[in-house]
Amino acid sequence: MEEVKIGLLGFGTVGKGVYELIKKNQDLIQKRTGIKLSIKKALVRDPQKHKGYPEELFTTEPDEVFKDPEINIVCELIGGEHPAKEYILKALELGKEVITANKAVLAKWGDEVWGTADKLGRFLGFEASVGGGIPIIKTLKEALIGNDITSIIGIINGTTNYILTRMLEENLSFEKALNEAKEKGYAEADPTLDINGMDSAHKIAILASLAFGFFIPVEKVYVEGIENVSVLDLMFAKDFGYIIKLLAFAIKGENEVEVRVHPTLIPENHVLASIRLNYNALYITGNFVGEVLLYGLGAGKEPTASAVVGDIIDAVEHRLFKKTSFIKYPLTKKDNFYKIKPMDEVESKYYFRFSAIDRPGVLSKISGVLGEHQISIASVVQIGRQKPGESVPIVMLTHETKEKNVKLAFKEIEKLDVVTDKPIKLRIL
Amino acid sequence: MEEVKIGLLGFGTVGKGVYELIKKNQDLIQKRTGIKLSIKKALVRDPQKHKGYPEELFTTEPDEVFKDPEINIVCELIGGEHPAKEYILKALELGKEVITANKAVLAKWGDEVWGTADKLGRFLGFEASVGGGIPIIKTLKEALIGNDITSIIGIINGTTNYILTRMLEENLSFEKALNEAKEKGYAEADPTLDINGMDSAHKIAILASLAFGFFIPVEKVYVEGIENVSVLDLMFAKDFGYIIKLLAFAIKGENEVEVRVHPTLIPENHVLASIRLNYNALYITGNFVGEVLLYGLGAGKEPTASAVVGDIIDAVEHRLFKKTSFIKYPLTKKDNFYKIKPMDEVESKYYFRFSAIDRPGVLSKISGVLGEHQISIASVVQIGRQKPGESVPIVMLTHETKEKNVKLAFKEIEKLDVVTDKPIKLRIL
């Protein structure tokens, strides 16, 4: 029987989850693998803050984890960019196998971090960085290794999905839905990175890098958040048979890939439309497997701990059996023959909502501008005015067109004197 | 660069899929892994039947695969029980890593087959045996290894799901829907094992063994097929807000497990209710990960080939790096402290449909018998008669009760002179 001692960097939500999982399921894991897992040290800022756990678990001195020869596996669970990145690199260089839940570090410096692990022959597990307990990384790296992955489309942020679900189903305002999410623990105190789409952007950068085999840093991801999605648009979309979700896309074209995050109208009979509340779901298409969907809780203490422990067992295997990290993705060096498609060139169907004065000829003016920019309208709804002089919404669905056409058309439409508010555009799946 | 030569036993649908996948994605796989896969030999009965493939690929002599020292990986893709089982054992004993898509052999002799692989330290891949391209085996064995798996509930037969979808959505008769499934290639010429639930039973026996850690042979699985599901019941269920699917269950209780397959009413807002046509979906619950759903094509040439090739790469890793098969499930020897719960003891809510003469007091008679057997009714719908003397349907939903109560009550109800046809019972999720 092999005992494996683990060092934790950080003891926040995820760290506590890992500790509790190992405590609770230690015997079961040992029965399954022959390996007894135990956590030897956890690096924290203030041990006083972690009452109720064994005192000797904690240290404030990084080297008590890094330099302990008994600790072969280090889990970086402090989050943020620094010193997380430096800790990951240091642990790899000191010969540890490393597990991280840190999407920001991978999405920003994946080439360096993956490259270092690869060069040193170390295991670097990051299942917990995307989709909580959903086994998306293992599925891409291992189960679907025989496939050319042609697209990944997913809901990979639970906070925004919760908010959009509650806005639609209970007619809540954005603020009310956000507050509810905070109360339930589905949104952090500062939910900025969730709301503005950056959390999803980090995650899709990691997935796109894995799927397509070259490093795609988060700066290359086009991002729109849900700040401008209103109950009005959720309702209009629903009337047209669509549900609005914050979707992340990684799509492979002939010579280019599209990597983007934005609110999107999904036909209501599509499986992704049925993903409610704080659940995540990922739709992967491979050239042999066809479509595969993975669904589950994309965050939270326990699901994330499940992912970390799955990686720990892989790390143990790697170490015990000197298994080389032989699935070499992302290919960090060459082979980036693919380019990222500029957003201007991305084609999509659109949902537009204009606010305009209800006066004869308004619709013809707006549609005239759209026509000039090769945007053809699939359907249109104009709601009659309630009071004279009030502005009314005009909602349109378009056929496929390029983003740049929409941008140019909107510039002109915004200038029309009959248009009373900033027009809304949302893409359709 | 390592070249890995593979032997195929059988060259039917799945064999052809594997051949085509490796041909098409060989370079991609090599770029990812450094390994060049190639198929050296395929054992077939009649090479003349496989025109269009290289002639030298085929042999009718098993030992040309088994005794070839260059072939380290053997894929058993002939299906059926014999000689498939003997071939798997022989390949393991001759030192090959083995991949199989054979659910029947594993569900019947899993203890022997898994036990042999384990004893000899060989890799035995069986991802393709359940759920086609859906990575359910890898997810259970690896990604969720830290979890106590408390239940698996799934739609794991595409043929029956296709039939039930078409019956409900297009009001097709069972026969029409089945014929359509055959035309589309979703049902085999002889679909008996799909329709009667045995295909699902084989698969859930494998999954339950993996999840709970002791071998559960298919004979222990309670099975009902979809033969008795009528359009009428699909419609009534829909009126109550349920969709009927053929579900497979593996549920862990205190000291017992339930393993069963039967048509089931699912609340229509449940994700499993939205799985249409020939898709499969598996709902897994673990004590840390919570609920995870995997969804995709559960059969077919290309998805199944994707699963086989994923296993091939794991087998190569196992062989190259002498990785011991260290995730020891199912625990084939001891540890079967769990018992299978007898179906009579399983509790469920029920949907009943009785055909009865429309006469005062009928409902009270039927509900009287139910009451005597501790079955309490949650709601009831009695449709008025069309013509005098015609029998009418009485549909009921019950609260939780034991199977044996239902059996006893039905025995009495069937004898009532006002009851004109065999009563229907379906369980509710």
Side-chain angles (χ1 to χ4, degrees), chain A residues 21 25 32 138 142 145-147 279 287-288 291-295 302-303 306 317 321 323 326 328, chain B residues 21 25 32 138 142 145-147 279 287-288 291-295 302-303 306 317 323-324 326 328:
Chain A
L21 192 159
N25 293 349
R32 286 177 175 165
K138 190 174 266 287
E142 301 178 25
I145 192 166
N147 288 267
Y279 280 89
N287 70 339
F288 274 75
E291 290 169 345
V292 171
L293 179 99
L294 308 183
Y295 160 95
E302 285 148 348
S306 164
E317 256 191 323
F321 306 113
K323 189 179 97 177
F326 110 143
K328 292 185 194 298
Chain B
L21 191 159
N25 292 351
R32 285 176 177 167
K138 189 174 267 286
E142 302 178 26
I145 192 166
N147 288 268
Y279 279 90
N287 70 338
F288 274 75
E291 290 170 344
V292 171
L293 179 99
L294 308 182
Y295 160 96
E302 285 149 347
S306 164
E317 256 191 322
K323 188 178 97 176
T324 318
F326 109 142
K328 290 186 194 299

Side-chain angles (χ1 to χ4, degrees), chain B residues 277-291:
Chain B
L277 301 173
N278 58 326
Y279 279 90
N280 282 200
L282 288 136
Y283 223 84
I284 311 155
T285 308
N287 70 338
F288 274 75
V289 76
E291 290 170 344

Side-chain angles (χ1 to χ4, degrees), chain A residues 267-315:
Chain A
E268 59 189 349
N269 63 351
H270 193 286
V271 179
L272 285 177
S274 70
I275 309 304
R276 297 172 61 248
L277 302 173
N278 58 325
Y279 280 89
N280 285 15
L282 288 136
Y283 224 86
I284 310 154
T285 308
N287 70 339
F288 274 75
V289 77
E291 290 169 345
V292 171
L293 179 99
L294 308 183
Y295 160 95
L297 287 169
K301 178 160 111 173
E302 285 148 348
T304 311
S306 164
V308 170
V309 173
D311 273 348
I312 287 175
I313 296 297
D314 280 352

Side-chain angles (χ1 to χ4, degrees), chain A residues 121-138:
Chain A
R122 302 259 70 92
F123 179 85
L124 178 66
F126 52 101
E127 186 66 81
S129 67
V130 184
I134 303 170
I136 176 66
I137 303 295
K138 190 174 266 287

